[in-house]
Amino acid sequence: MKREVLVPPKTVVAAVSLRAEDDSLLQSCLQLITDRQGHRTHLVHVMSELADDREEPVLRDRLQRHVMALGMAHGQVTAELLRGDPTDEILAAAEDIDADVIVAASRGRGAVARVLLGSVTSQLIRRSEIPVLVMKDRAPLRKLRTVVAAVDLSPVSDRVVRSAQRLDPMALTVSVLDIPVVLQADLHINVMTPDDRLQLLARLHDRLHARFGPHVEVMEGMVGPALESYAAERDVDLLVLGTSGHNARERAILGSTATHVISHAPCPVWVV
């Protein structure tokens, strides 16, 4: 389970590609999750181990430009150019400075985006011991208006709600019941009658309302697509969800759900 950290975060590690668009994306996400002053943002760019050494001065110069662009409005900004495996180096940098959150990017919604997500960001959300905030290319530059905590009955959901409410005390809570997954993962049965299904739904509704209060919104469907549609229809500014389960199967399901939401949701996603 990820370590619970300060929210709003005081120390942020941001993995940057050094694209010109990174400045506006980072400004947008930092405005969403941090106080304008009083925090540190540490930019990290990871070079390939096979990269030509002659590229290093150029990359350092571009990285410094990002520092200057962000430093005027977002407190202390530092930077580090690293070489090696991107996931390993980003996680190590976060540990070195005791970061509260890692900020990474998801590039669009197409097949190429999902490949990039799978190679780095997906590994970060599975392996990181601290929350990961995934930027979206079209993230609006505005303050938080609608924060949604996506919950289930796993232990990490309490942390999801706490994190969301620290960012926005009026955060909404939503749960998606994927009955086939519940049956196979929790009850180990594959077939049930319509009456059995209704009784199961009623029990799950009761458990969710007892745990998260009467205002939790409960839907039925596939978790990833349902959250994607919900975020789009409600014009959500930030979606908060968890990936830590009791066992390998549950972690795989939750990790897959997070990857789908990150790839397709129209807003930034905070994974705790």
Side-chain angles (χ1 to χ4, degrees), residues 18 45 47 53-67 79-83:
L18 300 183
H45 180 76
M47 298 174 58
D53 289 343
R54 290 173 293 183
E55 295 180 21
E56 186 168 332
V58 176
L59 294 175
R60 289 192 183 281
D61 180 66
R62 291 169 63 185
L63 193 54
Q64 188 58 35
R65 292 180 187 179
H66 283 277
V67 171
E80 190 173 12
L81 182 64
L82 301 170
R83 185 188 291 261

Side-chain angles (χ1 to χ4, degrees), residues 162-217:
R162 285 195 298 271
S163 297
Q165 290 179 343
R166 287 170 185 166
L167 290 167
D168 176 10
M170 302 301 292
L172 305 173
T173 305
V174 61
S175 183
V176 181
L177 300 178
D178 190 335
I179 296 302
V181 171
V182 172
L183 293 177
Q184 293 179 19
D186 293 346
L187 303 179
H188 305 291
I189 58 177
N190 296 313
V191 180
M192 66 186 328
T193 68
D195 286 344
D196 290 339
R197 184 187 184 92
L198 289 175
Q199 291 178 16
L200 174 61
L201 282 171
R203 290 199 301 271
L204 292 173
H205 276 246
D206 289 344
R207 290 175 63 189
L208 287 163
H209 287 134
R211 182 168 171 184
F212 300 110
H215 300 297
V216 60
E217 187 170 350

